[in-house]
Amino acid sequence: MGLERGGWRDTHPDFDMPHAHDELRYARRHELMQDLSKETLTFRNAIGDTRCRCARWAFLPGRRRRAPAVHWNGVTWRFLPWDFETRSRTLARYGAGQLAEDWHQPGLGVTYAELEAHSTASSISTHLRQAGNLKGKIVEGGNPFEGPRSRGVPEPPMKTSHTGAVYAKA
């Protein structure tokens, strides 16, 4: 259980049809998200920098009770091996001249291999489907660029919806 700001939100009436599939309301106008014109966060790139106001989010913090849980759209990207060792892999592949002199991000301190079993367990518990790289072997229908998974997931890929088929054809 956690504390959330804002008023109560529930399946009924907030997500009754036709509102449940209102792309304009949720995806474009960010009905479930924090309104940056009323409340925002600031950030600094370095300790001595002047703070900057966030004009838009790279992630979507929810507002109103239960909003963070209901706005998840099912997209859960797996980190790549590269993401855990960005500096060392960039230097090894492209050389020292490819990074800014003051860029000191050392990496995450843990490797993809160390977390892979946990990522796979999370994929299974959240019913994510279709590995694209299973123990180094590329699997048709999955993401061929992902890091290798130790095992697949029990559910088959979802069937393509009519809308998805029309979009794919376009």
Side-chain angles (χ1 to χ4, degrees):
M1 170 117 184
L3 297 175
E4 299 180 59
R5 62 180 165 237
W8 180 260
R9 184 178 298 275
D10 211 337
T11 305
H12 172 76
D14 294 302
F15 300 103
D16 287 341
M17 296 303 252
H19 301 297
H21 298 292
D22 191 342
E23 182 180 0
L24 179 62
R25 181 179 183 186
Y26 297 115
R28 297 291 168 221
R29 294 184 178 159
H30 304 295
E31 163 69 20
L32 300 174
M33 308 309 142
Q34 184 172 328
D35 184 349
L36 293 178
S37 69
K38 297 177 183 172
E39 177 184 25
T40 190
L41 297 175
T42 60
F43 68 94
R44 293 176 172 86
N45 291 317
I47 292 172
D49 286 357
T50 302
R51 69 181 179 187
C52 297
R53 180 180 176 274
C54 289
R56 64 186 175 106
W57 293 110
F59 61 96
L60 300 173
R63 67 177 168 85
R64 294 188 63 188
R65 179 126 167 91
R66 299 179 68 192
V70 298
H71 87 273
W72 180 63
N73 59 4
V75 177
T76 305
W77 301 107
R78 290 175 68 98
F79 284 103
L80 299 172
W82 187 282
D83 297 326
F84 293 87
E85 305 167 84
T86 307
R87 182 180 180 80
S88 59
R89 286 179 177 237
T90 299
L91 292 173
R93 184 168 183 174
Y94 300 109
Q98 299 303 309
L99 296 176
E101 291 290 324
D102 61 349
W103 194 72
H104 297 291
Q105 196 275 342
L108 297 178
V110 65
T111 66
Y112 176 87
E114 291 171 314
L115 291 182
E116 189 282 327
H118 301 288
S119 295
T120 296
S122 175
S123 296
I124 291 169
S125 69
T126 55
H127 303 282
L128 298 179
R129 294 170 166 84
Q130 193 63 40
N133 181 341
L134 195 54
K135 298 180 182 176
K137 182 181 177 208
I138 302 305
V139 179
E140 186 177 340
N143 177 2
F145 302 108
E146 72 181 11
R149 297 188 196 190
S150 58
R151 62 184 181 145
V153 293
E155 292 88 4
M158 293 175 64
K159 292 181 180 177
T160 303
S161 66
H162 173 71
T163 304
V166 170
Y167 184 78
K169 184 178 178 184

